[in-house]
Amino acid sequence: MNLHWDVVWDNLPRLLAGAWMTIWLSVVTMALSIPGGLVLAFMRLSPLSLVSKPATAFVEFFRATPLILQIYWVYYVLPAYFDVQMSQIATAIVGLTCNISAFNSETFRSGIVSIRKGQWSAGRALGMTDIQILWHIILPQAALRVLPALATTWVSLFKDTSLVSIISVPELSYVGLKIRSETYRILEVLTAMAVLYWLMGYPQAKMVDWIHRRFKVVE
Amino acid sequence: MMQERQNSSRVGSDAPLLVLQNIRKRYGSVLALDDVSLKVNRGEVVCLIGPSGSGKSTLLRCANALDIADEGGVIFEGKSVDTRSAEETRRIRQRMGMVFQNFELFPHLTTLRNIALAPTTVLKLDREKAEARARALLAKVGLSDKEAAYPSMLSGGQQQRVAIARALAMEPAVMLFDEPTSALDPETIGEVLSVMKKLADEGMTMVVVTHEMDFARRVGDWVVVFDKGRIIEEGFPGKIFDDAAGERTREFLRHLGWHGESSGGRPGSTSGGDQK
C-alpha cells in the first residue's frame, strides 16, 4: 500500500482555511443563538399564548427534524418560494442558528424555571420590578446553571457544522472531501481531516468536562 | 435572657400603621383565610401564633401583596392599597421589610451585595452609599467580618441575620417575619431572636409569625392566635399565655409544651410546632 502523505502537506493551507471556516461558523452561530435562544425562552415563558405558542412551535419544529433537512430547506425552499436570496455562508448560518437557538431556548428556559420561587418573592418583597429581579437575581444564577448544557451544545455544533458542506460552504469537511475527489487519496485526506477535527475538538471536550465539574449545581 | 417588655396598654392605638380588613383567601378548595382582620400600631410587636397551616403566613403575604387576597382590604400608613396595581404594591413593599423562613438570600452575591442590591436598584442609591449602609447593618446584626462571604459559607443563623439586614436596608416602616427561626438549627435560633429583640427595643414595628412562644410572650405587645384560617383569640401576651379564654388556644399552647410562665424563661426552650 502506497501512502502519499505529501498530498496532505501540499493541501495543508486549504485544509487549515477550511478549519478556520469551521471555527468561524461555530462562533458566529453560537453568538447569534444565545440571544436567539433567550428571546425564544422568554417568549415561551410568557403568559400570553399569542407570544408563547409560536415560539413553542418554532422550537419543537427545529428540535425534532434533522439539521441536514433544515439546511436543505433553507437553501432550496426559501429562494424558490419566498424569493429570499442568500449566499451559501448566510444560508448555513441561518440554518444552524435556527437549530441551535431552539436547543438553547430549552436550556435557558429550564435554567430560569429551576431558580426557586422564593428568590422571586425575596426580590418582590424588596420592591424590585420583575425585570430587575430577572436581571439581577434570576439570570445570573441561571447563567451558571445553563453553562454545562450550553457547553455540550457548543461541542455538537462544532461538529455539526460539517453538515453545511452539502451546500458547498468551504469549511473543513467540504474542503477535505473536495481534495479527496481531486487526488483520490482517500485514507490520507480523511485521516488528516480526523486529526484536525480531533485537535480542535478534544480541548473543547476537556473544557466542557471542566465546566461540568466547576459549575455543578449545589443547592 | 430576654427582658419582658412594658406592655400594660396597647400602644398608639389611634393611628394604626397597618390594617388588614376582612381578608379572605382561597387556594383551590381550601379556604386559607376566612374573614381575618388585623391591626398593627406603630412601634408594636404583633405575634401571630397557631398551628401550621392555620393561615398566619398567608396573612403576612397578603399584607405586602406577595399573595393577593380574594376579598378584603389592606390599609397602610393611612392609605388604602390597591394590591392589584404593580406600581402601588412595589411602593408599599419598599416600606415593608420581609424575612422568610428559608432566608432566600441571593446565593450569587456576597452578603454586602445582598444587602446593597435593593437600595441601589430600587432606591437608586449610588453603590458607595448603599454599601456603607450595608456595612452599618452588618455591624448591627453582628456580622461585620462576613461582608465578603457568600451565603453558602454562613450558618443558618448568620444567613437569617443577613436577611434581616437586607430587609432593614430599605428602611422599612414595618418588618414582617415569616417563621424566621423555623428552618434553623436549635443552637442558632437564639442569635436571630436576640437581633429581633434588639429591633423591637429600638421601636421597630414588627409582625412576627412564630412558633417561639417564649419570644411571643416576652417581646410581643399583642398576640393573635390563628386556627383553621380564622383568628380565634387575640390579646396581650400575659392574657393569652397565662389566662387564655379559649379552649383551642389552651390546647395549642399545651401541645407546644407551654405550661404557664413558670416553665418558660430560656429563649427557644418552648419552641415546637413546625420544627423537625
Side-chain angles (χ1 to χ4, degrees), chain A residues 115-130 132-133 135-142 144-145 218-219, chain B residues 61 64 66 89-91 93-94 96-98 100 102-109 113-114 117-118 121-122 124 166-167 170:
Chain A
I115 305 300
R116 278 200 311 263
K117 282 262 187 306
Q119 293 281 297
W120 284 94
S121 295
R124 288 191 181 126
L126 289 162
M128 296 171 77
T129 64
D130 282 6
Q132 288 172 333
I133 296 170
W135 183 251
H136 292 285
I137 299 168
I138 305 298
L139 285 183
Q141 293 183 62
L144 291 185
R145 291 199 186 181
V218 191
E219 273 283 347
Chain B
R61 293 173 67 89
N64 69 350
L66 284 183
T89 52
R90 275 204 306 281
R91 187 181 60 77
R93 284 169 184 164
Q94 291 171 31
M96 297 187 186
M98 190 170 205
F100 299 87
N102 296 314
F103 332 132
E104 296 300 348
L105 292 179
F106 308 130
H108 60 299
L109 301 176
R113 299 282 300 130
N114 259 278
L117 179 64
T121 55
V122 180
K124 311 289 180 203
R166 180 178 69 179
M170 295 294 287

Side-chain angles (χ1 to χ4, degrees), chain B residues 186 189 193 211-215 218 256-258 261-272 275:
Chain B
I189 289 175
L193 291 181
H211 290 292
E212 296 291 331
M213 293 306 129
D214 194 58
F215 179 86
R218 286 165 185 277
L256 290 186
W258 180 272
E261 211 196 341
S262 54
S263 71
R266 198 162 53 80
S269 64
T270 55
S271 60
Q275 292 196 38

Side-chain angles (χ1 to χ4, degrees), chain A residues 23-34:
Chain A
I23 294 171
W24 185 85
L25 271 180
S26 307
V27 170
V28 171
T29 300
M30 196 44 117
L32 294 172
S33 300
I34 286 175

Side-chain angles (χ1 to χ4, degrees), chain B residues 1-259:
Chain B
M1 296 301 100
M2 290 195 180
Q3 294 295 305
E4 199 159 335
R5 281 163 62 86
Q6 296 298 314
N7 50 27
S8 52
S9 72
R10 210 175 170 192
V11 288
S13 44
D14 52 349
L17 178 67
L18 172 66
V19 180
L20 299 167
Q21 273 177 333
N22 308 102
I23 302 285
R24 219 181 278 269
K25 175 73 186 173
R26 191 179 280 284
Y27 291 113
S29 63
V30 182
L31 194 55
L33 289 172
D34 184 7
D35 196 24
V36 172
S37 298
L38 182 78
K39 190 177 73 174
V40 181
N41 296 315
R42 273 175 221 279
E44 199 176 41
V45 177
V46 174
C47 291
L48 313 185
I49 66 171
S52 300
S54 58
K56 315 176 296 289
S57 296
T58 306
L59 186 69
L60 211 59
R61 293 173 67 89
C62 285
N64 69 350
L66 284 183
D67 281 344
I68 306 293
D70 300 323
E71 287 171 49
V74 178
I75 300 165
F76 182 58
E77 297 183 312
K79 283 187 215 121
S80 179
V81 179
D82 176 7
T83 50
R84 282 181 169 77
S85 145
E87 204 175 320
E88 213 167 318
T89 52
R90 275 204 306 281
R91 187 181 60 77
I92 62 153
R93 284 169 184 164
Q94 291 171 31
R95 307 273 303 142
M96 297 187 186
M98 190 170 205
V99 174
F100 299 87
Q101 183 176 347
N102 296 314
F103 332 132
E104 296 300 348
L105 292 179
F106 308 130
H108 60 299
L109 301 176
T110 62
T111 61
L112 192 75
R113 299 282 300 130
N114 259 278
I115 301 169
L117 179 64
T120 49
T121 55
V122 180
L123 303 179
K124 311 289 180 203
L125 248 56
D126 60 52
R127 191 171 167 148
E128 242 166 73
K129 260 196 200 132
E131 292 190 348
R133 186 184 282 192
R135 279 193 190 91
L137 286 165
L138 276 173
K140 186 188 178 101
V141 299
L143 291 169
S144 284
D145 54 331
K146 300 289 186 196
E147 68 167 64
Y150 286 88
S152 60
M153 299 153 73
L154 303 177
S155 74
Q158 289 171 330
Q159 289 189 53
Q160 195 61 299
R161 283 188 280 157
V162 173
I164 293 172
R166 180 178 69 179
L168 290 173
M170 295 294 287
E171 301 187 327
V174 56
M175 286 284 285
L176 312 175
F177 291 87
D178 187 5
E179 300 199 26
T181 58
S182 294
L184 296 177
D185 293 329
E187 63 267 27
T188 67
I189 289 175
E191 66 193 54
V192 172
L193 291 181
S194 73
V195 166
M196 290 167 62
K197 167 80 163 60
K198 195 161 103 182
L199 274 181
D201 289 343
E202 289 169 5
M204 175 60 81
T205 309
M206 297 166 46
V207 184
V208 187
V209 171
T210 188
H211 290 292
E212 296 291 331
M213 293 306 129
D214 194 58
F215 179 86
R217 172 75 175 84
R218 286 165 185 277
V219 182
D221 297 308
W222 194 253
V223 176
V224 182
V225 188
F226 280 71
D227 191 36
K228 300 194 176 90
R230 289 174 154 276
I231 290 175
I232 55 169
E233 194 164 356
E234 61 183 309
F236 294 113
K239 172 88 171 30
I240 297 290
F241 287 102
D242 304 332
D243 191 19
E247 177 52 33
R248 300 291 289 279
T249 304
R250 289 201 296 267
E251 191 189 322
F252 169 68
L253 292 173
R254 256 200 315 277
H255 177 70
L256 290 186
W258 180 272
H259 302 289

